[in-house]
PDB file of all heavy atoms in Angstrom:
ATOM      1  N   GLU W   3      -4.193  29.142  -3.283  1.00  0.00           N
ATOM      2  CA  GLU W   3      -5.024  28.105  -2.662  1.00  0.00           C
ATOM      3  C   GLU W   3      -6.509  28.390  -2.877  1.00  0.00           C
ATOM      4  O   GLU W   3      -7.310  27.480  -2.951  1.00  0.00           O
ATOM      5  CB  GLU W   3      -4.717  28.013  -1.167  1.00  0.00           C
ATOM      6  CG  GLU W   3      -3.392  27.348  -0.872  1.00  0.00           C
ATOM      7  CD  GLU W   3      -3.324  25.933  -1.445  1.00  0.00           C
ATOM      8  OE1 GLU W   3      -4.306  25.207  -1.327  1.00  0.00           O
ATOM      9  OE2 GLU W   3      -2.281  25.577  -2.021  1.00  0.00           O
ATOM     10  N   GLU W   4      -6.847  29.701  -2.987  1.00  0.00           N
ATOM     11  CA  GLU W   4      -8.270  30.031  -3.172  1.00  0.00           C
ATOM     12  C   GLU W   4      -8.669  29.816  -4.628  1.00  0.00           C
ATOM     13  O   GLU W   4      -7.821  29.775  -5.504  1.00  0.00           O
ATOM     14  CB  GLU W   4      -8.558  31.483  -2.771  1.00  0.00           C
ATOM     15  CG  GLU W   4      -8.017  32.525  -3.746  1.00  0.00           C
ATOM     16  CD  GLU W   4      -6.627  33.011  -3.400  1.00  0.00           C
ATOM     17  OE1 GLU W   4      -6.201  32.754  -2.273  1.00  0.00           O
ATOM     18  OE2 GLU W   4      -5.974  33.627  -4.266  1.00  0.00           O
ATOM     19  N   GLU W   5      -9.965  29.699  -4.849  1.00  0.00           N
ATOM     20  CA  GLU W   5     -10.452  29.534  -6.209  1.00  0.00           C
ATOM     21  C   GLU W   5     -10.948  30.877  -6.702  1.00  0.00           C
ATOM     22  O   GLU W   5     -11.940  31.396  -6.179  1.00  0.00           O
ATOM     23  CB  GLU W   5     -11.589  28.513  -6.243  1.00  0.00           C
ATOM     24  CG  GLU W   5     -11.228  27.216  -5.539  1.00  0.00           C
ATOM     25  CD  GLU W   5     -12.436  26.294  -5.448  1.00  0.00           C
ATOM     26  OE1 GLU W   5     -13.248  26.298  -6.385  1.00  0.00           O
ATOM     27  OE2 GLU W   5     -12.567  25.589  -4.445  1.00  0.00           O
ATOM     28  N   PRO W   6     -10.292  31.438  -7.699  1.00  0.00           N
ATOM     29  CA  PRO W   6     -10.682  32.741  -8.236  1.00  0.00           C
ATOM     30  C   PRO W   6     -12.113  32.705  -8.767  1.00  0.00           C
ATOM     31  O   PRO W   6     -12.923  33.563  -8.467  1.00  0.00           O
ATOM     32  CB  PRO W   6      -9.697  32.962  -9.388  1.00  0.00           C
ATOM     33  CG  PRO W   6      -8.574  32.008  -9.145  1.00  0.00           C
ATOM     34  CD  PRO W   6      -9.193  30.840  -8.445  1.00  0.00           C
ATOM     35  N   GLU W   7     -12.396  31.692  -9.540  1.00  0.00           N
ATOM     36  CA  GLU W   7     -13.754  31.560 -10.061  1.00  0.00           C
ATOM     37  C   GLU W   7     -14.441  30.422  -9.310  1.00  0.00           C
ATOM     38  O   GLU W   7     -14.086  29.264  -9.456  1.00  0.00           O
ATOM     39  CB  GLU W   7     -13.725  31.254 -11.552  1.00  0.00           C
ATOM     40  CG  GLU W   7     -13.017  32.349 -12.347  1.00  0.00           C
ATOM     41  CD  GLU W   7     -12.971  32.013 -13.831  1.00  0.00           C
ATOM     42  OE1 GLU W   7     -13.648  31.050 -14.229  1.00  0.00           O
ATOM     43  OE2 GLU W   7     -12.261  32.705 -14.571  1.00  0.00           O
ATOM     44  N   PRO W   8     -15.420  30.746  -8.521  1.00  0.00           N
ATOM     45  CA  PRO W   8     -16.110  29.750  -7.684  1.00  0.00           C
ATOM     46  C   PRO W   8     -16.908  28.766  -8.531  1.00  0.00           C
ATOM     47  O   PRO W   8     -18.111  28.895  -8.666  1.00  0.00           O
ATOM     48  CB  PRO W   8     -17.033  30.608  -6.815  1.00  0.00           C
ATOM     49  CG  PRO W   8     -17.275  31.847  -7.629  1.00  0.00           C
ATOM     50  CD  PRO W   8     -16.003  32.074  -8.403  1.00  0.00           C
ATOM     51  N   VAL W   9     -16.166  27.779  -9.060  1.00  0.00           N
ATOM     52  CA  VAL W   9     -16.773  26.825  -9.995  1.00  0.00           C
ATOM     53  C   VAL W   9     -18.107  26.309  -9.475  1.00  0.00           C
ATOM     54  O   VAL W   9     -18.162  25.640  -8.455  1.00  0.00           O
ATOM     55  CB  VAL W   9     -15.826  25.630 -10.241  1.00  0.00           C
ATOM     56  CG1 VAL W   9     -16.407  24.720 -11.297  1.00  0.00           C
ATOM     57  CG2 VAL W   9     -14.452  26.130 -10.628  1.00  0.00           C
ATOM     58  N   ARG W  10     -19.120  26.581 -10.173  1.00  0.00           N
ATOM     59  CA  ARG W  10     -20.459  26.225  -9.701  1.00  0.00           C
ATOM     60  C   ARG W  10     -20.703  24.717  -9.750  1.00  0.00           C
ATOM     61  O   ARG W  10     -20.828  24.141 -10.828  1.00  0.00           O
ATOM     62  CB  ARG W  10     -21.506  26.940 -10.543  1.00  0.00           C
ATOM     63  CG  ARG W  10     -21.402  28.454 -10.441  1.00  0.00           C
ATOM     64  CD  ARG W  10     -22.570  29.093 -11.135  1.00  0.00           C
ATOM     65  NE  ARG W  10     -22.744  28.571 -12.502  1.00  0.00           N
ATOM     66  CZ  ARG W  10     -23.569  29.121 -13.390  1.00  0.00           C
ATOM     67  NH1 ARG W  10     -24.272  30.169 -13.059  1.00  0.00           N
ATOM     68  NH2 ARG W  10     -23.689  28.613 -14.596  1.00  0.00           N
ATOM     69  N   ARG W  11     -20.691  24.104  -8.579  1.00  0.00           N
ATOM     70  CA  ARG W  11     -20.953  22.667  -8.497  1.00  0.00           C
ATOM     71  C   ARG W  11     -22.443  22.399  -8.668  1.00  0.00           C
ATOM     72  O   ARG W  11     -23.259  23.305  -8.540  1.00  0.00           O
ATOM     73  CB  ARG W  11     -20.474  22.125  -7.155  1.00  0.00           C
ATOM     74  CG  ARG W  11     -18.968  22.168  -7.001  1.00  0.00           C
ATOM     75  CD  ARG W  11     -18.295  21.121  -7.876  1.00  0.00           C
ATOM     76  NE  ARG W  11     -16.955  21.574  -8.251  1.00  0.00           N
ATOM     77  CZ  ARG W  11     -16.295  21.076  -9.294  1.00  0.00           C
ATOM     78  NH1 ARG W  11     -16.833  20.158 -10.053  1.00  0.00           N
ATOM     79  NH2 ARG W  11     -15.084  21.504  -9.573  1.00  0.00           N
ATOM     80  N   ARG W  12     -22.727  21.168  -8.897  1.00  0.00           N
ATOM     81  CA  ARG W  12     -24.138  20.805  -9.073  1.00  0.00           C
ATOM     82  C   ARG W  12     -24.476  19.567  -8.238  1.00  0.00           C
ATOM     83  O   ARG W  12     -24.521  18.467  -8.751  1.00  0.00           O
ATOM     84  CB  ARG W  12     -24.417  20.491 -10.529  1.00  0.00           C
ATOM     85  CG  ARG W  12     -24.075  21.631 -11.444  1.00  0.00           C
ATOM     86  CD  ARG W  12     -24.405  21.306 -12.865  1.00  0.00           C
ATOM     87  NE  ARG W  12     -24.065  22.426 -13.725  1.00  0.00           N
ATOM     88  CZ  ARG W  12     -24.336  22.470 -15.023  1.00  0.00           C
ATOM     89  NH1 ARG W  12     -24.941  21.464 -15.597  1.00  0.00           N
ATOM     90  NH2 ARG W  12     -23.988  23.501 -15.731  1.00  0.00           N
ATOM     91  N   PRO W  13     -24.677  19.791  -6.969  1.00  0.00           N
ATOM     92  CA  PRO W  13     -24.850  18.659  -6.053  1.00  0.00           C
ATOM     93  C   PRO W  13     -26.160  17.914  -6.260  1.00  0.00           C
ATOM     94  O   PRO W  13     -26.297  16.784  -5.868  1.00  0.00           O
ATOM     95  CB  PRO W  13     -24.822  19.319  -4.681  1.00  0.00           C
ATOM     96  CG  PRO W  13     -25.323  20.693  -4.937  1.00  0.00           C
ATOM     97  CD  PRO W  13     -24.862  21.068  -6.306  1.00  0.00           C
TER      98      PRO W  13
ATOM     99  P    DG Q  28     -28.859  21.448  -9.388  1.00  0.00           P
ATOM    100  OP1  DG Q  28     -27.972  21.019  -8.292  1.00  0.00           O
ATOM    101  OP2  DG Q  28     -30.318  21.268  -9.287  1.00  0.00           O
ATOM    102  O5'  DG Q  28     -28.574  22.999  -9.689  1.00  0.00           O
ATOM    103  C5'  DG Q  28     -27.234  23.415  -9.917  1.00  0.00           C
ATOM    104  C4'  DG Q  28     -27.216  24.841 -10.416  1.00  0.00           C
ATOM    105  O4'  DG Q  28     -27.705  24.876 -11.778  1.00  0.00           O
ATOM    106  C3'  DG Q  28     -28.101  25.804  -9.615  1.00  0.00           C
ATOM    107  O3'  DG Q  28     -27.346  26.959  -9.283  1.00  0.00           O
ATOM    108  C2'  DG Q  28     -29.243  26.138 -10.566  1.00  0.00           C
ATOM    109  C1'  DG Q  28     -28.598  25.959 -11.936  1.00  0.00           C
ATOM    110  N9   DG Q  28     -29.522  25.595 -12.996  1.00  0.00           N
ATOM    111  C8   DG Q  28     -30.548  24.680 -12.916  1.00  0.00           C
ATOM    112  N7   DG Q  28     -31.223  24.558 -14.036  1.00  0.00           N
ATOM    113  C5   DG Q  28     -30.605  25.448 -14.903  1.00  0.00           C
ATOM    114  C6   DG Q  28     -30.885  25.747 -16.265  1.00  0.00           C
ATOM    115  O6   DG Q  28     -31.768  25.282 -16.989  1.00  0.00           O
ATOM    116  N1   DG Q  28     -30.005  26.715 -16.768  1.00  0.00           N
ATOM    117  C2   DG Q  28     -28.989  27.303 -16.057  1.00  0.00           C
ATOM    118  N2   DG Q  28     -28.259  28.196 -16.705  1.00  0.00           N
ATOM    119  N3   DG Q  28     -28.714  27.036 -14.783  1.00  0.00           N
ATOM    120  C4   DG Q  28     -29.548  26.093 -14.280  1.00  0.00           C
ATOM    121  P    DG Q  29     -27.974  28.103  -8.359  1.00  0.00           P
ATOM    122  OP1  DG Q  29     -26.975  28.363  -7.313  1.00  0.00           O
ATOM    123  OP2  DG Q  29     -29.369  27.738  -8.009  1.00  0.00           O
ATOM    124  O5'  DG Q  29     -28.032  29.367  -9.331  1.00  0.00           O
ATOM    125  C5'  DG Q  29     -26.849  29.787  -9.984  1.00  0.00           C
ATOM    126  C4'  DG Q  29     -27.180  30.589 -11.219  1.00  0.00           C
ATOM    127  O4'  DG Q  29     -28.005  29.810 -12.100  1.00  0.00           O
ATOM    128  C3'  DG Q  29     -27.952  31.895 -10.939  1.00  0.00           C
ATOM    129  O3'  DG Q  29     -27.236  32.997 -11.469  1.00  0.00           O
ATOM    130  C2'  DG Q  29     -29.284  31.710 -11.665  1.00  0.00           C
ATOM    131  C1'  DG Q  29     -28.946  30.676 -12.724  1.00  0.00           C
ATOM    132  N9   DG Q  29     -30.083  29.878 -13.161  1.00  0.00           N
ATOM    133  C8   DG Q  29     -30.816  28.989 -12.416  1.00  0.00           C
ATOM    134  N7   DG Q  29     -31.787  28.423 -13.081  1.00  0.00           N
ATOM    135  C5   DG Q  29     -31.699  28.982 -14.346  1.00  0.00           C
ATOM    136  C6   DG Q  29     -32.487  28.754 -15.498  1.00  0.00           C
ATOM    137  O6   DG Q  29     -33.454  27.996 -15.637  1.00  0.00           O
ATOM    138  N1   DG Q  29     -32.050  29.512 -16.578  1.00  0.00           N
ATOM    139  C2   DG Q  29     -30.992  30.382 -16.548  1.00  0.00           C
ATOM    140  N2   DG Q  29     -30.711  31.030 -17.677  1.00  0.00           N
ATOM    141  N3   DG Q  29     -30.237  30.612 -15.468  1.00  0.00           N
ATOM    142  C4   DG Q  29     -30.647  29.876 -14.419  1.00  0.00           C
TER     143       DG Q  29
ATOM    144  P    DT F   4     -24.722  32.109 -23.521  1.00  0.00           P
ATOM    145  OP1  DT F   4     -23.989  33.380 -23.741  1.00  0.00           O
ATOM    146  OP2  DT F   4     -24.889  31.153 -24.639  1.00  0.00           O
ATOM    147  O5'  DT F   4     -24.055  31.362 -22.289  1.00  0.00           O
ATOM    148  C5'  DT F   4     -24.068  31.985 -21.001  1.00  0.00           C
ATOM    149  C4'  DT F   4     -23.669  30.987 -19.928  1.00  0.00           C
ATOM    150  O4'  DT F   4     -24.711  29.987 -19.742  1.00  0.00           O
ATOM    151  C3'  DT F   4     -22.381  30.200 -20.238  1.00  0.00           C
ATOM    152  O3'  DT F   4     -21.563  30.210 -19.082  1.00  0.00           O
ATOM    153  C2'  DT F   4     -22.888  28.815 -20.571  1.00  0.00           C
ATOM    154  C1'  DT F   4     -24.127  28.706 -19.676  1.00  0.00           C
ATOM    155  N1   DT F   4     -25.148  27.717 -20.120  1.00  0.00           N
ATOM    156  C2   DT F   4     -25.696  26.866 -19.188  1.00  0.00           C
ATOM    157  O2   DT F   4     -25.384  26.871 -18.009  1.00  0.00           O
ATOM    158  N3   DT F   4     -26.637  26.013 -19.696  1.00  0.00           N
ATOM    159  C4   DT F   4     -27.065  25.917 -21.010  1.00  0.00           C
ATOM    160  O4   DT F   4     -27.921  25.113 -21.348  1.00  0.00           O
ATOM    161  C5   DT F   4     -26.443  26.836 -21.929  1.00  0.00           C
ATOM    162  C7   DT F   4     -26.809  26.818 -23.380  1.00  0.00           C
ATOM    163  C6   DT F   4     -25.518  27.686 -21.448  1.00  0.00           C
ATOM    164  P    DT F   5     -19.964  29.732 -19.176  1.00  0.00           P
ATOM    165  OP1  DT F   5     -19.192  30.571 -18.234  1.00  0.00           O
ATOM    166  OP2  DT F   5     -19.623  29.692 -20.632  1.00  0.00           O
ATOM    167  O5'  DT F   5     -19.989  28.241 -18.640  1.00  0.00           O
ATOM    168  C5'  DT F   5     -20.500  27.982 -17.345  1.00  0.00           C
ATOM    169  C4'  DT F   5     -20.706  26.492 -17.175  1.00  0.00           C
ATOM    170  O4'  DT F   5     -21.857  26.054 -17.926  1.00  0.00           O
ATOM    171  C3'  DT F   5     -19.535  25.615 -17.664  1.00  0.00           C
ATOM    172  O3'  DT F   5     -19.335  24.559 -16.748  1.00  0.00           O
ATOM    173  C2'  DT F   5     -20.040  25.079 -18.968  1.00  0.00           C
ATOM    174  C1'  DT F   5     -21.517  24.870 -18.589  1.00  0.00           C
ATOM    175  N1   DT F   5     -22.428  24.668 -19.733  1.00  0.00           N
ATOM    176  C2   DT F   5     -23.550  23.904 -19.545  1.00  0.00           C
ATOM    177  O2   DT F   5     -23.845  23.395 -18.483  1.00  0.00           O
ATOM    178  N3   DT F   5     -24.334  23.762 -20.672  1.00  0.00           N
ATOM    179  C4   DT F   5     -24.090  24.292 -21.929  1.00  0.00           C
ATOM    180  O4   DT F   5     -24.869  24.092 -22.841  1.00  0.00           O
ATOM    181  C5   DT F   5     -22.901  25.088 -22.044  1.00  0.00           C
ATOM    182  C7   DT F   5     -22.542  25.705 -23.360  1.00  0.00           C
ATOM    183  C6   DT F   5     -22.120  25.228 -20.959  1.00  0.00           C
ATOM    184  P    DA F   6     -17.954  24.497 -15.834  1.00  0.00           P
ATOM    185  OP1  DA F   6     -17.840  25.767 -15.130  1.00  0.00           O
ATOM    186  OP2  DA F   6     -16.849  24.010 -16.677  1.00  0.00           O
ATOM    187  O5'  DA F   6     -18.315  23.353 -14.785  1.00  0.00           O
ATOM    188  C5'  DA F   6     -19.372  23.579 -13.865  1.00  0.00           C
ATOM    189  C4'  DA F   6     -20.220  22.325 -13.702  1.00  0.00           C
ATOM    190  O4'  DA F   6     -21.039  22.116 -14.885  1.00  0.00           O
ATOM    191  C3'  DA F   6     -19.432  21.034 -13.492  1.00  0.00           C
ATOM    192  O3'  DA F   6     -20.099  20.256 -12.502  1.00  0.00           O
ATOM    193  C2'  DA F   6     -19.474  20.359 -14.857  1.00  0.00           C
ATOM    194  C1'  DA F   6     -20.825  20.815 -15.397  1.00  0.00           C
ATOM    195  N9   DA F   6     -20.888  20.938 -16.857  1.00  0.00           N
ATOM    196  C8   DA F   6     -19.975  21.543 -17.673  1.00  0.00           C
ATOM    197  N7   DA F   6     -20.304  21.521 -18.943  1.00  0.00           N
ATOM    198  C5   DA F   6     -21.506  20.838 -18.963  1.00  0.00           C
ATOM    199  C6   DA F   6     -22.377  20.478 -20.015  1.00  0.00           C
ATOM    200  N6   DA F   6     -22.147  20.776 -21.292  1.00  0.00           N
ATOM    201  N1   DA F   6     -23.499  19.802 -19.684  1.00  0.00           N
ATOM    202  C2   DA F   6     -23.723  19.513 -18.391  1.00  0.00           C
ATOM    203  N3   DA F   6     -22.989  19.814 -17.325  1.00  0.00           N
ATOM    204  C4   DA F   6     -21.886  20.471 -17.682  1.00  0.00           C
ATOM    205  P    DA F   7     -19.433  18.862 -11.984  1.00  0.00           P
ATOM    206  OP1  DA F   7     -19.856  18.690 -10.579  1.00  0.00           O
ATOM    207  OP2  DA F   7     -18.002  18.852 -12.360  1.00  0.00           O
ATOM    208  O5'  DA F   7     -20.179  17.776 -12.860  1.00  0.00           O
ATOM    209  C5'  DA F   7     -21.596  17.662 -12.757  1.00  0.00           C
ATOM    210  C4'  DA F   7     -22.092  16.641 -13.758  1.00  0.00           C
ATOM    211  O4'  DA F   7     -21.965  17.185 -15.091  1.00  0.00           O
ATOM    212  C3'  DA F   7     -21.312  15.322 -13.758  1.00  0.00           C
ATOM    213  O3'  DA F   7     -22.224  14.254 -13.603  1.00  0.00           O
ATOM    214  C2'  DA F   7     -20.624  15.300 -15.120  1.00  0.00           C
ATOM    215  C1'  DA F   7     -21.547  16.156 -15.959  1.00  0.00           C
ATOM    216  N9   DA F   7     -20.898  16.786 -17.101  1.00  0.00           N
ATOM    217  C8   DA F   7     -19.711  17.459 -17.124  1.00  0.00           C
ATOM    218  N7   DA F   7     -19.381  17.927 -18.306  1.00  0.00           N
ATOM    219  C5   DA F   7     -20.424  17.530 -19.125  1.00  0.00           C
ATOM    220  C6   DA F   7     -20.678  17.726 -20.505  1.00  0.00           C
ATOM    221  N6   DA F   7     -19.851  18.377 -21.313  1.00  0.00           N
ATOM    222  N1   DA F   7     -21.815  17.191 -21.001  1.00  0.00           N
ATOM    223  C2   DA F   7     -22.637  16.531 -20.187  1.00  0.00           C
ATOM    224  N3   DA F   7     -22.502  16.299 -18.877  1.00  0.00           N
ATOM    225  C4   DA F   7     -21.369  16.832 -18.406  1.00  0.00           C
TER     226       DA F   7
END
Side-chain angles (χ1 to χ4, degrees):
Chain W
E3 286 302 317
E4 72 268 345
E5 309 173 35
E7 300 179 10
V9 185
R10 298 188 309 191
R11 293 288 151 200
R12 303 182 180 185

